Amino acid sequence: MSKLDEILTFNKSFVENKLYTPYLTTKFPDKRIVILTCMDTRLTETLHKAMNIKNGDVKIVKSAGAVINHPFGGIMRSLIVAVYELQADEIFVIGHYDCGMSAIKTDKIVEKMIDRGVDSRTFDTLKYSGVDVDKWLEGFSDVEESVLHSVDMIRNHPLMVPSVPVHGLIIDPTTGRLDLVTDGSIDKE
């Protein structure tokens, strides 16, 4: 049975047996928080437990490394929508230790793309079109600096109201310990 078939079979039972009822909530975050965090699998449940959040409490936006790499990309748009349309009035940027983005080697990813069938000429086309694939895929070497970069992009975004606190934290994906990088209620710069 394929992974898709397994999921669809389980889902049918989930719906038929009304196992969704404990998770019913509205689209508005009860704690009025939006979190930008990493897509790391270790955070799927650990982050929620470590922060005492449950279904309906917060909006979650995920990206590789909790990085905002473009001020007008999808990540920033999601944060802005959460604030202006979905009643979030605080933003938490939460990176984590041992992040895969800290070990990214763009040349190795490009090699893997080519090995899996992406035509190597595509990279020339992108380069001549003004796309710096290496920069776009680039990771980071310091998680604290990366969190501060994302916090700074949010705080200084021309469409973000300055009164919204933007906090920066780093979570240990093993223990769930949260380390404060910047308190958006105090640190405004």
Side-chain angles (χ1 to χ4, degrees):
M1 181 180 283
S2 74
K3 289 180 180 99
L4 176 61
D5 290 335
E6 285 177 32
I7 288 170
L8 291 174
T9 299
F10 174 83
N11 180 258
K12 182 177 180 189
S13 173
F14 181 84
V15 173
E16 286 174 355
N17 294 307
K18 299 186 182 207
L19 299 177
Y20 55 82
T21 57
Y23 309 106
L24 292 174
T25 187
T26 71
K27 66 181 176 180
F28 301 104
D30 293 335
K31 293 189 177 184
R32 299 181 67 104
I33 292 170
V34 59
I35 296 171
L36 169 60
T37 194
C38 185
M39 63 184 191
D40 191 290
T41 58
R42 296 170 292 178
L43 302 181
T44 300
E45 292 186 46
T46 305
L47 179 71
H48 292 74
K49 299 294 185 192
M51 294 182 70
N52 192 31
I53 55 178
K54 63 183 183 349
N55 201 50
D57 281 348
V58 302
K59 291 292 184 186
I60 302 275
V61 177
K62 293 190 174 196
S63 73
V67 172
I68 299 173
N69 60 2
H70 193 285
F72 291 96
I75 300 300
M76 196 64 218
R77 181 184 62 219
S78 295
L79 297 174
I80 286 171
V81 167
V83 168
Y84 291 107
E85 287 294 316
L86 301 172
Q87 303 175 356
D89 53 19
E90 274 186 80
I91 300 173
F92 287 66
V93 176
I94 305 176
H96 67 93
Y97 298 108
D98 189 34
C99 184
M101 286 300 290
S102 65
I104 292 291
K105 304 285 185 246
T106 56
D107 58 328
K108 299 294 182 196
I109 293 176
V110 169
E111 280 179 27
K112 290 175 184 177
M113 290 176 183
I114 293 169
D115 289 347
R116 291 183 70 175
V118 174
D119 189 325
S120 62
R121 294 174 296 185
T122 301
F123 297 98
D124 291 333
T125 302
L126 291 170
K127 179 180 175 184
Y128 297 131
S129 299
V131 177
D132 184 345
V133 173
D134 289 338
K135 182 79 172 150
W136 181 65
L137 289 172
E138 185 177 59
F140 53 81
S141 59
D142 184 311
V143 67
E144 185 172 328
E145 284 179 20
S146 179
V147 166
L148 286 171
H149 169 77
S150 291
V151 166
D152 185 57
M153 286 191 74
I154 299 165
R155 285 182 182 164
N156 294 298
H157 196 279
L159 301 178
M160 184 58 66
V161 62
S163 62
V164 173
V166 183
H167 311 290
L169 298 101
I170 303 171
I171 189 170
D172 181 318
T174 303
T175 67
R177 183 190 79 242
L178 288 167
D179 294 328
L180 181 63
V181 175
T182 181
D183 179 338
S185 302
I186 299 169
D187 308 323
K188 297 291 184 183
E189 302 277 323

